[in-house]
Amino acid sequence: MVTNRNEQFKALFDPAGVIVAGASTHPGKFGFVVLHNMITCGYAGRIFATNRDGSEVLGRPTLTSIAEVPDGAADLLFVCTPASTNAELLTAAAAKGVRAAFIASAGYGEADDEGQRRQDELVELADSLGMLIVGPNGQGLVSTPSSLCAQIVAPYPPTGHIGIASQSGNFVSSFMNLASQCGVGVSRAVSVGNAAQVGVLDALEFFADDPHTSVGLLYVEGIPDGKQFAQRMAAVAQRMPVVVLKGGTTASGARAAASHTGSLATDDLVFDGMCAQYGIVRARTLTEAFDCAATLATQPMPSGPRTAVVTTVGGWGVVTADALANTRLELTALPADLRAELDGLLPPRWSRNNPIDMAGGETKDTVPAVLRAVAGHPEIDAVILLGVGIQSNQGSLERNGPFYPDHGLERIVAFHERQDRRYIETAVSVSAEFAKPVLIATELATADPDNAAVLAMRESGKYCFPSAERAVVALDQLHALASWRQRRGLEPLAP
Amino acid sequence: MTSTLSEAQSKELLAPFGVPFLPERLVTSSIEAGVAAGEIGFPVVVKLCGEAIAHKTERGLVKLGLRTEVDVVAAAEELFAAARPEDGSVQVLIAPMVTATREFIAGMVVDPQFGATVLLGVGGILAEAISDVVIRLVPITLVDAFEMIDSLGSQALLAPFRGEPAVDRVALAEVLLALSNAAVATPVLASIDLNPLMIADGRPIAVDALVEMN
């Protein structure tokens, strides 16, 4: 049977109906949890739950077998039944027109030889039925365009454009939790479990053609076929930015011992080289991976390395300049005409160089005016803005203190919050107008998530970095990818 | 199982791909060695060369900086005498003595997962301790080769250095392309070492080569 993976993945992520095989009345069982999560997160399609006894689950009737599902009403089968029964379920579901199955059940290749045999048979069966199977032994999938949370664990992220595929379910959860925290959302997420029939690359290839996804975010450990992996990653990375986090990088494989070259070429360096060669963003840590994906999903690519750091007060700018020195970015000297323009906008005590320390500003319009002048200058490729939210942070203490709303506090708190919102709005609008990345960093992103600046960031859909160092690392990666594309005559990819 | 080629065979295999080598001569007697050295011009390097000899320096089979015909003949005699039965058929190789401050290592190795790779690193006796190394998968493009050079941590070694000119990046990139092309054209290659790849007057030159075949 000819299989069209893209169609199958469409059935997986955007099914018209879902069959949950093995729905359980016991709230501790996966067969309960997945049904609970699907209903709670608002899946809009039809849900058919099967249960041997036909008992109600979560107040809903169940079917005693898949045979009772109307033909063509479901596209996806979610399986969390014991491994021995699953072949039968696949066959029954295929007869009803189901084209994709997620197998959460364990007891396959990860267990023992018998499990491996069962897994091989399941793949063979799925292939013959023209059915996609993801898993087994995976935690599930999420698809925000369909409000689908078909998972045996909780995180359900906000809607967005990051597509996640992982060899470990834990990382899907971590990335989605980070997405929930900052508001930069996810389109699709899937943990491939044992990757019996398809793996992270198959999902990634679907993402590359998916209008809901603009960035691929991968977690990989084992790579079964390195050459194929490299070729397929390279093909996807031409069309869509891909961020990869690889686990197990410290273990080093054995190579031809006679050569010095062989002894220098560690596994990690080879993987690193592959990423650099094919324009794949390799992140070193979980947070860096998410930072990069969130940046690629929300910021335009810079056309060069010339970075301006704009800060309301000094210290942050200095440390950020230090961080920039260890990257491929350039803390560019301010062009004379820009410096003259800023002289007209800022008090005489301003830094008069990059980092642009606004020294507290002058009027209520100073920060927006400076931001616009800097981002709009043709010799600046990217901007990092520091110090937003401090006014609202003070406002928050005042609002919650014993004197509010008297003594003029109500008015000043509203002013502070309005100002912080203006800074964010200006940053977002100049970034769009001049097609340049404008990254914003403040620890208030996590320390004071209700801060007006942080809320404004969240509402704008942009990413608020919890620290300037992290913004620098992500911008460095963004610039490296942009220049990789430039050197190969490829257009920049827009978020 | 892998087997190594002699230095001379290794160079013969790689030269057509554009790996830059010194003009050198291979001789089978100490008298010929002296004559060859006179023709090449002093000072010269004299090495014992044979298929089964992989790491010459460790065995003292490289004599550097010889300035007269008499010295060359004596060195060649000593090298022939040092040959062991397991070295098989041996010859002596005479090459001009290159003095260079900067040494790199370039090579190719077949990775068990990703297949053939090209490597560039800072060379010399501290190479493995410094481990400033960049790798790409075969085949590489010229853009890839330039990016490899740009990715080395020790960029100061590529700039003008101790009175020597900057490294000719195009010539260095061409060495990397040559290794990639050799790997593509010769799938039986298991590894290539160009170690050291010296920088003489800014241009890379492979002073030694070791090819390992499957």
Side-chain angles (χ1 to χ4, degrees), chain B residues 158-191:
Chain B
L158 296 155
F161 189 78
R162 290 178 167 249
E164 295 175 35
V167 173
D168 181 338
R169 286 179 186 242
V170 175
L172 186 54
E174 279 167 357
V175 175
L176 301 172
L177 276 179
L179 291 170
S180 174
N181 292 339
V184 171
T186 325
V188 293
L189 295 183
S191 74

Side-chain angles (χ1 to χ4, degrees), chain A residues 360-375:
Chain A
E362 191 77 339
T363 74
K364 68 183 177 53
D365 298 321
T366 303
V367 175
V370 168
L371 207 46
R372 172 163 287 280
V374 173

Side-chain angles (χ1 to χ4, degrees), chain A residues 223 255 260-261 277 487-488, chain B residues 111 113 137 144 147 193:
Chain A
I223 297 168
R255 276 182 193 73
H260 288 113
T261 301
Q277 187 169 7
R487 287 191 292 270
R488 286 161 181 80
Chain B
D111 180 81
Q113 278 214 304
L137 308 190
D144 294 330
E147 286 176 350
D193 269 354

Side-chain angles (χ1 to χ4, degrees), chain A residues 227, chain B residues 17 108 110 116 181-191 212-214:
Chain A
K227 282 187 186 177
Chain B
F17 293 99
M108 189 287 294
V110 176
N181 292 339
V184 171
T186 325
V188 293
L189 295 183
S191 74
E212 192 185 8
M213 317 264 270
N214 282 312

